């Protein structure tokens, strides 16, 4: 069987989303607008949190890093996608492809664990409010953040080690718009059963561990909220969690749909739609969800704007 590697054929070819020039143009304009909103929204969120002292709390510490992760993994995917849509150059080098895949898995896995850290923060705030300042110290928050990155790095390194053992034969055409594990495994002429199983175990472990943490936290939160007598108290408690619940539902829904199944069952249509959603659309949605549904962020934007206006007037 004829095999190749990065020394004989240095490039993969990304097929992209469509062959139609008209649709490519529409998608390129749409993705560019989404990416601009993503960049502005996430940088704006980080700046507002940095500039407003009232947002220097554990919740917004994590939200700052969520914005950083969303901005980063959108940047890993979207610019190359725009290049393939706008130009005839659809190639990506062997090392470039694996680098893109490494950072995407790293950032996505880290976001899973960061979302679970945010859920735990809400659990402590609502279920143990008197102990909140003693539990959610800056040192403990930094430890949770570091742990999220370390676990993400372990996940992505394991995936890269597995993918690095594969031989690729005949075709170097990737039936996707970025370098993901499923379409790359489909190109391999190696026996991929063990590799698929290992990657599945790591992906499932990351998703389930973080989902269990989130689920347990929110079951406890729901139980506590239901014990609150006043309707106003219940609404206030729930409002602090609503944005996070929405973000978690959207992120995990598309991630589970795409990755927790056999790589051989990769569907060029449905899986690509899901992939577009969680790689390009969700990074734009998160800052909108956390700003439009969050009175504290709205007030902070107002305070920062007024402060800048007063500074300019002087």
């Amino acid at each position: 069987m004829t095999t190749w590697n990065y020394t004989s054929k240095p490039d993969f070819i990304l097929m992209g989303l469509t062959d139609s020039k008209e649709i490519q143009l529409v998608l390129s304009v749409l993705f560019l607008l989404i990416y601009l909103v993503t960049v502005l929204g996430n940088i704006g969120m980080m700046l507002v949190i940095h500039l407003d002292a009232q947002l220097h709390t554990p919740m917004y510490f994590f939200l700052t890093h969520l914005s950083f992760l969303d901005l980063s993994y959108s940047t890993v995917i979207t610019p190359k996608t725009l290049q393939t849509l706008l130009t005839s150059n659809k190639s990506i080098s062997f090392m470039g492809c694996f680098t893109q895949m490494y950072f995407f898995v790293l950032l996505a896995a880290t976001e899973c664990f960061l979302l679970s850290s945010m859920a735990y923060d809400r659990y402590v705030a609502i279920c143990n409010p008197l102990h909140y300042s003693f539990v959610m110290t800056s040192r403990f928050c930094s430890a949770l953040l570091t742990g999220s990155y370390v676990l993400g790095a372990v996940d992505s390194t394991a995936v890269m080690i597995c993918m690095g053992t594969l031989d690729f034969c005949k075709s170097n055409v990737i039936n996707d718009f970025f370098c993901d594990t499923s379409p790359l495994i489909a190109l391999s002429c190696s026996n991929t059963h063990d590799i698929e199983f290992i990657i599945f175990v790591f992906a499932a472990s990351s998703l389930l561990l973080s989902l269990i943490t989130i689920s347990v936290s929110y079951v406890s939160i729901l139980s506590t909220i239901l014990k609150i007598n006043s309707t106003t108290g219940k609404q206030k408690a729930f409002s602090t969690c609503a944005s996070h619940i929405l973000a978690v539902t959207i992120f995990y829904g598309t991630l589970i749909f795409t990755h927790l199944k056999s790589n051989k069952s990769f569907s060029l249509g449905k899986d690509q739609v899901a992939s577009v959603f969680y790689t390009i659309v969700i990074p734009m949605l998160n800052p909108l969800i956390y700003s439009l549904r969050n009175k504290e962020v709205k007030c902070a934007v107002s305070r920062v704007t007024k402060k800048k206006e007063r500074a300019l007037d002087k």
Side-chain angles (χ1 to χ4, degrees), residues 121-142:
D121 170 72
R122 292 299 83 205
Y123 159 75
V124 178
I126 293 173
C127 299
N128 297 289
L130 297 178
H131 298 102
Y132 184 76
S133 59
F134 297 103
V135 175
M136 301 304 295
T137 61
S138 58
R139 184 175 181 179
F140 183 62
C141 291
S142 297

Side-chain angles (χ1 to χ4, degrees), residues 6-271:
Y6 67 90
T7 58
S8 59
K9 288 186 180 180
D11 294 336
F12 285 112
I13 305 298
L14 292 168
M15 285 299 291
L17 294 165
T18 179
D19 293 327
S20 168
K21 296 294 183 183
E22 292 78 11
I23 297 177
Q24 285 179 358
L25 180 61
V26 172
L27 288 177
S28 62
V29 173
L30 179 61
F31 289 172
L32 178 60
L33 290 174
I34 290 173
Y35 184 61
L36 290 175
V37 173
T38 300
V39 171
L40 293 174
N42 284 292
I43 290 178
M45 180 67 75
M46 289 187 284
L47 282 175
V48 168
I49 294 171
H50 175 73
L51 293 172
D52 191 82
Q54 292 186 35
L55 297 185
H56 293 176
T57 63
M59 176 182 172
Y60 292 101
F61 169 78
F62 291 127
L63 187 53
T64 298
H65 288 278
L66 180 65
S67 292
F68 171 75
L69 289 173
D70 283 338
L71 177 61
S72 298
Y73 85 71
S74 177
T75 300
V76 167
I77 304 296
T78 309
K80 183 61 183 177
T81 303
L82 288 172
Q83 182 190 17
T84 59
L85 287 170
L86 292 170
T87 69
S88 58
N89 180 18
K90 298 183 182 296
S91 65
I92 183 170
S93 68
F94 184 92
M95 291 303 297
C97 185
F98 273 65
T99 300
Q100 185 187 58
M101 183 164 52
Y102 175 83
F103 280 105
F104 173 70
V105 174
L106 167 65
L107 296 164
T110 301
E111 182 158 332
C112 286
F113 293 110
L114 183 64
L115 288 170
S116 64
S117 298
M118 294 173 73
Y120 180 74
D121 170 72
R122 292 299 83 205
Y123 159 75
V124 178
I126 293 173
C127 299
N128 297 289
L130 297 178
H131 298 102
Y132 184 76
S133 59
F134 297 103
V135 175
M136 301 304 295
T137 61
S138 58
R139 184 175 181 179
F140 183 62
C141 291
S142 297
L144 288 175
L145 178 66
T146 302
S148 297
Y149 277 101
V150 169
L151 290 170
V154 169
D155 197 353
S156 59
T157 301
V159 169
M160 288 304 100
I161 291 172
C162 290
M163 295 298 292
T165 64
L166 298 177
D167 290 319
F168 299 96
C169 40
K170 297 182 180 179
S171 177
N172 61 338
V173 177
I174 299 173
N175 288 314
D176 208 344
F177 63 96
F178 74 106
C179 293
D180 200 3
T181 55
S182 299
L184 273 174
I185 286 176
L187 297 181
S188 177
C189 52
S190 306
N191 184 345
T192 62
H193 180 268
D194 291 342
I195 299 299
E196 285 187 70
F197 178 74
I198 294 170
I199 291 175
F200 178 85
V201 167
F202 273 93
S205 298
S206 296
L207 286 170
L208 292 177
L209 179 60
S210 55
L211 267 178
I212 288 170
T213 304
I214 292 168
S215 300
V216 170
S217 296
Y218 276 108
V219 167
S220 300
I221 288 170
L222 181 60
S223 176
T224 301
I225 290 175
L226 292 176
K227 292 176 183 177
I228 298 174
N229 293 323
S230 69
T231 303
T232 304
K234 289 180 179 179
Q235 290 176 345
K236 185 177 180 181
F238 183 76
S239 67
T240 63
C241 307
S243 297
H244 186 251
I245 293 172
L246 182 59
V248 165
T249 302
I250 295 172
F251 181 75
Y252 278 89
T254 52
L255 209 59
I256 290 170
F257 173 81
T258 308
H259 288 284
L260 287 192
K261 60 182 179 179
S262 169
N263 288 301
K264 293 298 184 183
S265 65
F266 176 76
S267 167
L268 195 56
K270 292 184 293 183
D271 285 351

